[in-house]
């Protein structure tokens, strides 16, 4: 049956819709195909890029490997790789080349490698390997020797942990071996050169010491004979010639001392002390010694000390004197008649509160040109050649000043204008001592302490080894006030004999005595204690030198304690308490009494002796005081005569001995100004500065006259009877 037109139209319309749907589907498929093509192109491009990147990375890796290989070859290194637990170690060809073996990469047995190491180095190599394997360190280095065909080769091996397992245990070590034989050879040559240089320095020092002795002997004779000739009848012309000879001899002696000082500094043989000393007194004494020369040239001489400058400081007073003495000598030399010289000392603090002391020496002399100031502190350097011709000198003084100042932890600076004078500034660390104050206490405090101490020391037998009669009397009196029994010895040998008799509880040993000195006697006592099995006897060293080297020498000799002269009661009590507590357990309950605050008394009217202080030390014993005065007058005259003889013959040992002894006895007699002058004479003799010694001795003679008058007045008084 034929379809109706409506049916045909409906079928046609449906067919058109189906066709439209197919077209849409086809378009979707085409779009998907297009998207897939784009994705394929992207993947293809990505694969291409990745391929190129890999190729580039491989090329970079090859280039890095080549660079590393070139660097390793250039450095002469052998690479090693040890993968545990294998006993085979991979080594590059350079290792075989080092050993004189086949030069090729390969594996080496770990045991045979260890056996190649030098027997003295195997433990060190084993320790490094164990430290890496146990994880104590991730990198390490060792130097050792290995056996080669030609002998022993020095190797420096660097190693590191390159890989760990899952538990963190090292499973791979890698590193390098380097041939350091040439470095070791250079080190050995350097060590040998250093030893030779040290030997040369020692030889130079010994040579200079010998030359010093050989030069000083005829020089002393020449100077002594010159002085003897000066005392004879001479014409004016002859006296002028002798003055020139004497000045030339002193100049030669000063040059010799400067050369020796510079040599000791350069050799590192000069020790700097760190001891407490009185800064004000040191500067005043030094100023007094040079002021006379300034006044002789009609100069204005000024010493100015800042109000905040502490009196007690810690340092090396001897070297400070040497530096300032050199600067003052130069100021006097280069300042014309009628000029000005000013010495000042002050305290300076930086932004962090660190304090220092500044010491200035300012003059109105010839000055120094700017172009010469940079080298003025160099050895054998002067402002110019004309200076050397006009004023003389070797150019060593300022070099020594600069080196000494540096050794003391400070610096020296110069400000000068040609024709306008010079200012030298020495800046040193300001250290105030923290030691206990041993200055004499007020009468009530001192008597109170002595009374308390007598309860502890009563019945002790003390051996006093002291060659000086004045010091012996003072120490004996003090010990008797403490309730002690006293034995005496005048030298070291007698001290050993007295000690060997037994019954000695403590020894006070003077260090400087004739014959067997205190240190030698102490050593003999210690040796006999060991050989005879005797108990240890406490020994306190007593000396007028309180320097670091002296303290160390005393302790090395076997003493138990140390106290300086003049012996004050509190210092001696403290030293005795200390050694008895440490050696025998006695006096352990001692507590120093509080000091009763009183004003220090002004010395006696003559200012030569402080008789009140001396009577206090002797507990008012006028009979002992008169004995001391008599002994002191006799000793004073004899020592001054000996020092005058020492000056005439330029005998520094004689001058040192008697100036040292005089310093101790005057200090004990409370003649503080005289003791300071004696100390200045001792320092001048130690430095063999006879020019300074000759200027200071008249001051000592004048002061000794005042002391003698005070002693004579004391002896004219009738001593009070005790009881």
């Amino acid at each position: 049956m034929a379809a109706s037109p409506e049916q045909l139209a409906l079928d046609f319309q449906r067919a058109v819709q189906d066709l439209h749907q197919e077209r849409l589907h086809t378009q979707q498929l085409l779009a998907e195909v297009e998207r897939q093509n784009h994705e394929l192109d992207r993947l293809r491009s990505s694969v291409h890029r990745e391929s190129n990147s890999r190729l580039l990375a491989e090329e970079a890796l090859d280039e890095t490997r080549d660079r590393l290989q070139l660097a390793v070859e250039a450095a002469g290194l052998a690479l090693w790789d040890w993968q545990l637990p294998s006993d085979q170690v991979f080594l590059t060809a350079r290792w075989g080349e080092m050993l004189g073996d086949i030069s090729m990469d390969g594996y080496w047995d770990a045991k045979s490698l260890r056996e190649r190491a030098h027997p003295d180095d195997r433990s060190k190599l084993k320790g490094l390997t164990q430290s890496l394997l146990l994880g104590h360190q991730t990198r390490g280095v060792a130097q050792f020797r290995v056996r080669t065909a030609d002998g022993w080769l020095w190797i420096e091996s660097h190693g590191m942990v390159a890989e760990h397992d899952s538990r963190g245990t090292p499973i791979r070590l890698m590193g390098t071996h380097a041939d350091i034989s040439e470095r070791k050879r250079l080190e050995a040559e350097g060590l040998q050169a250093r030893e030779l240089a040290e030997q040369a320095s020692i030889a130079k020092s010994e040579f200079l010491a010998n030359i010093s002795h050989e030069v000083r002997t005829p020089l002393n004779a020449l100077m002594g004979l010159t002085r003897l000739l000066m005392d004879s009848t001479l014409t004016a012309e002859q006296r002028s010639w002798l003055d020139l000879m004497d000045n030339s001899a002193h100049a030669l002696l000063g040059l010799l001392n400067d050369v020796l000082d510079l040599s000791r500094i350069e050799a590192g043989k000069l020790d700097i002390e760190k001891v407490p000393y009185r800064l004000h007194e040191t500067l005043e004494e030094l100023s007094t010694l040079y002021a006379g020369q300034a006044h002789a040239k009609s100069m204005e001489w000024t010493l100015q000390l800042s109000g905040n400058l502490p009196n007690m400081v810690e340092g090396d007073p001897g070297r400070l004197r040497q530096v300032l003495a050199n600067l003052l000598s130069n100021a006097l030399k280069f300042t014309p008649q009628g000029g000005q010289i000013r010495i000042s000392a002050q305290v300076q603090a930086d932004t962090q509160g660190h304090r220092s002391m500044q010491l200035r020496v300012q003059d109105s002399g010839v000055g120094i040109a700017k172009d010469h100031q940079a080298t003025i502190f160099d050895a054998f350097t002067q402002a110019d050649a004309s200076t050397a011709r006009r004023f003389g000198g070797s150019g060593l003084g300022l070099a020594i000043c600069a080196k000494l100042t540096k050794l003391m932890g400070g610096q020296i600076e110069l400000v000068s204008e040609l024709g306008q004078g010079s200012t030298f500034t020495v800046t040193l660390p300001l250290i105030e001592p923290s030691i206990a104050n041993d200055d004499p206490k007020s009468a009530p405090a001192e008597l109170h302490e002595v009374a308390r101490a007598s309860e502890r020391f009563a019945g002790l037998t003390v051996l006093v080894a002291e060659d000086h009669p004045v010091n012996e009397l003072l120490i004996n009196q003090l010990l008797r006030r403490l309730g002690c029994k006293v034995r005496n010895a005048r030298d070291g040998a007698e001290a050993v004999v007295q000690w060997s008799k037994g019954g000695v509880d403590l020894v006070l040993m003077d260090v400087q005595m004739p014959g067997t000195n205190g240190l030698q006697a102490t050593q003999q006592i210690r040796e006999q204690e060991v050989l005879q099995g005797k108990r240890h006897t406490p020994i306190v060293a007593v000396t007028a030198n309180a320097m670091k080297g002296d303290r160390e020498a005393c302790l090395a000799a076997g003493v138990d304690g140390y106290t300086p002269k003049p012996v004050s009661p509190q210092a001696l009590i403290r030293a005795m308490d200390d050694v008895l507590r440490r050696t025998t357990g006695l006096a352990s309950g001692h507590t120093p009494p509080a000091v009763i605050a009183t004003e220090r008394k002004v010395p006696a009217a003559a200012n030569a002796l402080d008789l009140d202080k001396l009577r206090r030390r002797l507990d008012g014993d006028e009979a002992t005081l008169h004995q001391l005065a008599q002994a002191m007058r006799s000793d004073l005259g004899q020592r001054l005569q000996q020092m005058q003889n020492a000056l005439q013959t330029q005998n520094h040992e004689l001058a040192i001995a008697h100036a040292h002894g005089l310093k101790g006895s005057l200090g004990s007699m409370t003649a503080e100004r005289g003791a300071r002058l004696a100390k200045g004479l001792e320092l001048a003799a130690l430095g063999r500065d006879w020019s300074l010694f000759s200027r200071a001795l008249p001051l000592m003679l004048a002061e000794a006259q005042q002391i003698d008058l005070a002693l004579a007045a004391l002896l004219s008084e009738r001593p009070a009877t005790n009881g």
Side-chain angles (χ1 to χ4, degrees):
M1 180 175 160
S4 64
E6 292 82 0
Q7 185 65 37
L8 290 172
L10 184 60
D11 291 340
F12 178 75
Q13 188 176 6
R14 186 180 295 112
V16 171
Q17 290 176 350
D18 291 342
L19 183 62
H20 180 69
Q21 290 291 334
E22 287 296 329
R23 185 180 294 111
L24 291 175
H25 183 63
T26 300
Q27 290 176 349
Q28 290 176 352
L29 290 175
L30 290 173
E32 180 64 22
V33 169
E34 184 68 20
R35 190 184 65 77
Q36 293 290 342
N37 286 335
H38 282 303
E39 181 66 19
L40 186 60
D41 290 341
R42 188 185 66 77
L43 291 173
R44 188 180 296 111
S45 175
S46 177
V47 169
H48 182 68
R49 284 197 304 273
E50 290 293 334
S51 177
N52 288 341
S53 298
R54 185 172 64 254
L55 291 174
L56 290 173
E58 290 175 354
E59 290 176 1
L61 184 60
D62 291 340
E63 188 176 352
T64 301
R65 188 180 296 113
D66 292 340
R67 284 201 198 98
L68 178 61
Q69 185 63 31
L70 289 173
V72 168
E73 291 176 0
L77 299 176
L79 301 180
W80 57 269
D81 185 354
W82 187 12
Q83 297 190 30
L84 302 170
S86 172
D87 58 356
Q88 298 292 307
V89 180
F90 174 79
L91 284 149
T92 57
R94 172 63 180 154
W95 177 249
E97 184 181 340
M98 289 180 182
L99 300 182
D101 207 330
I102 300 174
S103 178
M104 61 179 294
D105 296 348
Y107 287 91
W108 294 68
D109 182 64
K111 182 179 179 182
S112 66
L113 290 175
R114 285 193 293 269
E115 291 175 349
R116 275 186 176 272
H118 193 282
D120 295 342
D121 301 332
R122 288 174 187 170
S123 59
K124 176 170 54 179
L125 193 59
K126 181 180 179 181
L128 175 62
T129 305
Q130 291 295 326
S131 181
L132 292 173
L133 292 176
L134 295 174
H136 296 162
Q137 59 186 97
T138 58
R139 296 175 181 272
V141 61
Q143 294 180 355
F144 55 93
R145 289 157 290 181
V146 295
R147 187 176 62 254
T148 69
D150 300 324
W152 295 102
L153 180 74
W154 272 103
I155 296 293
E156 183 174 83
S157 181
H158 289 259
M160 62 173 289
V161 178
E163 191 175 345
H164 298 81
D165 62 12
S166 58
R167 294 173 298 178
T169 303
I171 59 174
R172 187 179 186 184
L173 305 180
M174 297 184 69
T176 60
H177 289 323
D179 178 1
I180 59 169
S181 298
E182 181 65 14
R183 188 203 305 174
K184 287 292 184 179
R185 184 185 67 79
L186 293 175
E187 288 177 358
E189 290 180 355
L191 180 61
Q192 184 180 11
R194 186 162 55 251
E195 290 175 351
L196 290 174
E198 291 174 354
Q199 292 174 5
S201 177
I202 294 172
K204 183 183 77 171
S205 299
E206 292 176 350
F207 171 77
L208 287 173
N210 292 334
I211 287 295
S212 171
H213 175 73
E214 295 300 326
V215 172
R216 285 177 196 277
T217 302
L219 185 59
N220 287 340
L222 176 63
M223 296 171 74
L225 290 172
T226 302
R227 292 296 177 88
L228 291 175
L229 283 173
M230 284 181 172
D231 291 336
S232 63
T233 304
L234 300 170
T235 65
E237 186 179 23
Q238 289 172 334
R239 186 168 296 278
S240 174
W241 292 343
L242 286 175
D243 284 337
L244 289 174
M245 288 177 61
D246 190 52
N247 292 336
S248 298
H250 277 95
L252 180 58
L253 187 61
L255 176 61
L256 182 62
N257 289 335
D258 284 346
V259 171
L260 290 174
D261 272 345
L262 187 65
S263 175
R264 284 196 293 267
I265 292 171
E266 290 179 344
K269 299 294 180 64
L270 194 78
D271 293 328
I272 297 297
E273 302 286 351
K274 285 190 176 180
V275 296
Y277 68 97
R278 291 177 172 84
L279 179 61
H280 288 215
E281 295 176 9
T282 299
L283 297 177
E284 289 168 358
E285 290 170 7
L286 197 61
S287 174
T288 302
L289 289 175
Y290 286 92
Q293 297 180 60
H295 295 151
K297 295 178 67 175
S298 301
M299 291 182 182
E300 182 182 335
W301 183 274
T302 308
L303 172 64
Q304 184 177 0
L305 304 181
S306 173
N308 62 347
L309 189 71
N311 184 29
M312 288 299 298
V313 297
E314 187 174 280
D316 192 328
R319 295 305 172 186
L320 177 63
R321 283 173 177 268
Q322 186 175 355
V323 171
L324 293 179
N326 209 310
L327 296 178
L328 292 173
S329 295
N330 282 348
L332 286 166
K333 182 193 300 183
F334 295 109
T335 303
Q337 190 165 357
Q340 298 177 350
I341 296 178
R342 180 172 178 266
I343 314 163
S344 63
Q346 62 183 9
V347 177
Q348 187 180 46
D350 59 18
T351 55
Q352 298 179 344
H354 298 146
R355 299 201 304 163
S356 59
M357 60 177 174
Q358 282 191 341
L359 308 169
R360 283 195 179 92
V361 176
Q362 184 177 4
D363 65 66
S364 60
V366 297
I368 302 171
K370 293 289 186 184
D371 54 344
H372 292 132
Q373 293 181 19
T375 59
I376 197 66
F377 294 110
D378 295 340
F380 305 103
T381 299
Q382 290 191 327
D384 57 35
S386 63
T387 300
R389 287 195 298 269
R390 180 181 174 191
F391 294 102
S394 62
L396 287 176
L398 289 178
I400 292 173
C401 286
K403 292 180 182 295
L404 286 177
T405 303
K406 185 177 180 181
L407 287 174
M408 290 187 288
Q411 60 182 5
I412 184 170
E413 297 173 324
L414 166 65
V415 176
S416 182
E417 291 286 345
L418 193 61
Q420 301 296 319
S422 304
T423 299
F424 287 89
T425 303
V426 176
T427 304
L428 296 172
L430 181 59
I431 304 173
E432 296 190 54
S434 57
I435 61 172
N437 183 13
D438 285 340
D439 286 340
K441 296 181 179 181
S442 61
E446 185 174 292
L447 293 174
H448 180 60
E449 181 164 352
V450 170
R452 287 189 53 174
S454 63
E455 300 173 3
R456 303 190 301 278
F457 298 134
L460 287 179
T461 300
V462 180
L463 171 61
V464 178
E466 170 63 63
D467 65 312
H468 197 288
V470 175
N471 290 333
E472 182 187 73
L473 276 172
L474 284 172
I475 295 176
N476 288 353
Q477 180 66 13
L478 175 59
L479 290 172
R480 291 190 179 104
R481 287 168 61 193
L482 292 172
C484 300
K485 300 175 183 177
V486 181
R487 294 187 192 173
N488 291 107
R490 285 295 179 89
D491 57 38
E494 187 180 352
V496 176
V497 172
Q498 287 286 345
W499 170 85
S500 64
K501 293 178 180 179
V504 175
D505 298 309
L506 184 140
V507 179
L508 295 181
M509 185 76 74
D510 183 26
V511 173
Q512 294 182 332
M513 291 186 291
T516 303
N517 64 36
L519 299 185
Q520 294 168 339
T522 299
Q523 290 173 336
Q524 293 178 22
I525 289 173
R526 295 303 182 221
E527 290 171 0
Q528 290 189 30
E529 284 176 343
V530 174
L531 293 175
Q532 300 175 17
K534 293 185 176 181
R535 66 175 181 83
H536 182 91
T537 303
I539 299 178
V540 176
V542 183
T543 179
N545 287 334
M547 300 299 185
K548 179 186 68 174
D550 298 306
R551 184 184 297 271
E552 292 171 349
C554 290
L555 295 176
V559 304
D560 302 289
Y562 183 98
T563 187
K565 292 180 181 178
V567 179
S568 66
Q570 61 269 27
L572 182 61
I573 290 170
R574 185 179 297 111
M576 292 173 63
D577 267 334
D578 182 56
V579 299
L580 289 171
R581 180 170 55 249
R582 287 189 287 107
T583 58
T584 66
L586 296 176
S588 58
H590 169 55
T591 303
V595 178
I596 303 174
T598 61
E599 294 185 359
R600 185 178 295 180
K601 289 189 177 181
V602 178
N607 287 327
L609 296 174
D610 189 346
L611 292 178
D612 289 341
K613 184 189 297 183
L614 187 55
R615 284 190 171 94
R616 188 167 68 247
R617 285 186 178 178
L618 298 175
D619 200 16
D621 189 339
E622 291 293 327
T624 302
L625 179 60
H626 278 65
Q627 292 178 28
L628 283 174
Q630 214 163 24
M632 187 70 241
R633 291 191 74 188
S634 174
D635 182 71
L636 184 61
Q638 293 175 7
R639 289 193 183 275
L640 288 174
Q641 182 61 48
Q642 290 295 330
M643 283 196 284
Q644 288 176 308
N645 295 338
L647 177 60
Q648 290 178 356
T649 59
Q650 304 289 292
N651 187 332
H652 72 278
E653 293 181 352
L654 183 65
I656 292 169
H658 287 286
H660 179 87
L662 193 57
K663 176 181 67 175
S665 60
L666 289 176
S668 299
M669 291 293 293
T670 69
E672 296 180 359
R673 190 169 57 209
R676 290 198 296 270
L677 285 170
K679 181 179 179 182
L681 286 166
E682 181 186 14
L683 291 172
L686 284 168
R688 294 173 174 81
D689 189 344
W690 293 110
S691 176
L692 179 60
F693 193 94
S694 64
R695 296 193 302 273
L697 186 56
L699 299 175
M700 182 72 252
L701 292 172
E703 183 65 21
Q705 186 176 8
Q706 296 298 319
I707 295 172
D708 188 67
L709 289 173
L711 292 172
L714 175 64
L715 289 172
S716 66
E717 300 173 3
R718 185 175 180 178
T721 57
N722 295 330

